[in-house]
Amino acid sequence: MVLVKEYRIINNCTVDEYRIAQLYAVAKMSMSETGSGEGVEVIKNEPYDNEKGKGQYTKKIYSFARQGSLELHEEAWNAYPHCLTVVTETMHLADRAETENALNLDAKVLAQRVVEHIDVTNDKEFSAALYKESEDPKLYKATKAERGPLSTEDWMETCEPVMTCYKLLTVEFGWWGFQTAVERYIHSTMREVFAVFHRQLFCDTDGWFGMTIEELRAMEDDTAKKLIDKRNQELASKTESN
């Protein structure tokens, strides 16, 4: 059995802004969480121009200690607004999650697909242990962008600007007897990851708003260097303690 779900996430930003916002959020998350058993390790982050097209290639390892030390290895070819990874396929559109086949899926995949909407303001989208007041869109107001808080029940129908992330996640686990349970676990974990990430993205609006792609790339380079130094310090500390 293959479990195919399409997650639709509405965001209070434009499609062009989201390109900067998602990269900013990953860079910030990688610095703030690595060292606690969670975070994002950026293995590669470089331009590509080949048979897949032209864009930015990244290779990352996501670690989720609170999900039982789960590690997710991701390769991504980001030809924005379309992004293909070994885990998900994503399309970003300037709409309110109403495009029925944003990823141009064939009839076979469409028959298997289950559509689920993620509300970034809903605290029930993730474990209570992951809640942070500073990452609550219902409370956050962006002063530079003059957006938020997203505190009304109809915010997805009324917020401006607006865009949607369409994320197709296909999971197939070929170990009979464990297949269904593992596939459902991966989907529930990734749904939680998507929800928390996009809450952080909105609550960082004043950080990324107005940034250029050049400024963002400089931030990524600086973050990568700091991560190397941080991991070397952690390794040295562990060596000394042993």
Side-chain angles (χ1 to χ4, degrees):
M1 177 182 175
V2 179
L3 192 54
V4 181
K5 291 189 178 185
E6 181 182 295
Y7 299 97
R8 299 182 182 181
I9 311 159
I10 291 178
N11 297 279
N12 186 194
C13 61
T14 68
V15 171
D16 288 340
E17 287 173 341
Y18 185 86
R19 181 189 183 192
I20 298 292
Q22 66 169 338
L23 296 172
Y24 178 94
V26 168
K28 183 177 177 181
M29 182 171 62
S30 65
M31 278 305 297
S32 64
E33 296 190 0
T34 298
S36 64
E38 299 200 354
V40 184
E41 180 179 1
V42 181
I43 307 300
K44 286 187 178 181
N45 185 11
E46 59 193 23
Y48 72 89
D49 187 353
N50 54 32
E51 69 280 358
K52 288 185 170 62
K54 185 176 181 180
Q56 193 76 9
Y57 168 79
T58 58
K59 184 175 182 180
K60 305 184 185 79
I61 299 176
Y62 294 82
S63 299
F64 309 105
R66 284 169 288 194
Q67 277 79 27
S69 298
L70 173 69
E71 271 195 358
L72 181 65
H73 293 243
E74 177 196 82
E75 289 184 277
W77 293 264
N78 191 347
Y80 200 81
H82 180 264
C83 182
L84 176 65
T85 82
V86 296
V87 179
T88 64
E89 184 174 4
T90 304
M91 179 59 75
H92 307 90
L93 297 178
D95 65 12
R96 297 186 190 272
E98 68 265 22
T99 302
E100 284 308 308
N101 192 7
L103 291 155
N104 295 318
L105 306 176
D106 61 31
K108 181 180 179 181
V109 177
L110 283 172
Q112 296 174 307
R113 180 194 67 172
V114 175
V115 174
E116 294 189 3
H117 295 260
I118 295 177
D119 180 355
V120 299
T121 69
N122 185 356
D123 298 342
K124 294 182 179 179
E125 292 281 5
F126 53 90
S127 167
L130 298 177
Y131 177 83
K132 294 180 181 179
E133 186 175 315
S134 61
E135 296 174 358
D136 190 337
K138 298 186 299 299
L139 305 175
Y140 176 78
K141 181 172 179 60
T143 55
K144 287 169 61 177
E146 297 184 345
R147 297 172 193 170
L150 306 179
S151 55
T152 62
E153 291 186 1
D154 65 344
W155 76 268
M156 288 188 283
E157 288 76 43
T158 60
C159 75
E160 292 290 348
V162 66
M163 59 82 65
T164 303
C165 297
Y166 294 83
K167 290 185 171 292
L168 187 76
L169 176 58
T170 303
V171 179
E172 182 175 13
F173 186 74
W175 192 345
W176 188 85
F178 296 92
Q179 185 177 26
T180 300
V182 171
E183 288 173 352
R184 288 177 177 172
Y185 172 77
I186 292 174
H187 269 286
S188 65
T189 299
M190 290 307 298
R191 181 183 174 117
E192 184 174 85
V193 169
F194 295 153
V196 171
F197 177 81
H198 286 87
R199 285 167 69 92
Q200 294 172 338
L201 182 147
F202 176 73
C203 292
D204 276 333
T205 298
D206 275 339
W208 54 257
F209 184 75
M211 285 187 76
T212 65
I213 191 65
E214 291 75 21
E215 290 171 333
L216 191 282
R217 294 304 180 198
M219 176 185 172
E220 288 180 326
D221 290 342
D222 183 60
T223 298
K225 293 175 183 177
K226 288 180 179 178
L227 282 172
I228 292 173
D229 292 340
K230 190 173 184 179
R231 293 192 188 100
N232 287 339
Q233 291 173 5
E234 291 169 357
L235 180 61
S237 178
K238 289 179 181 178
T239 302
E240 291 175 0
S241 63
N242 292 333

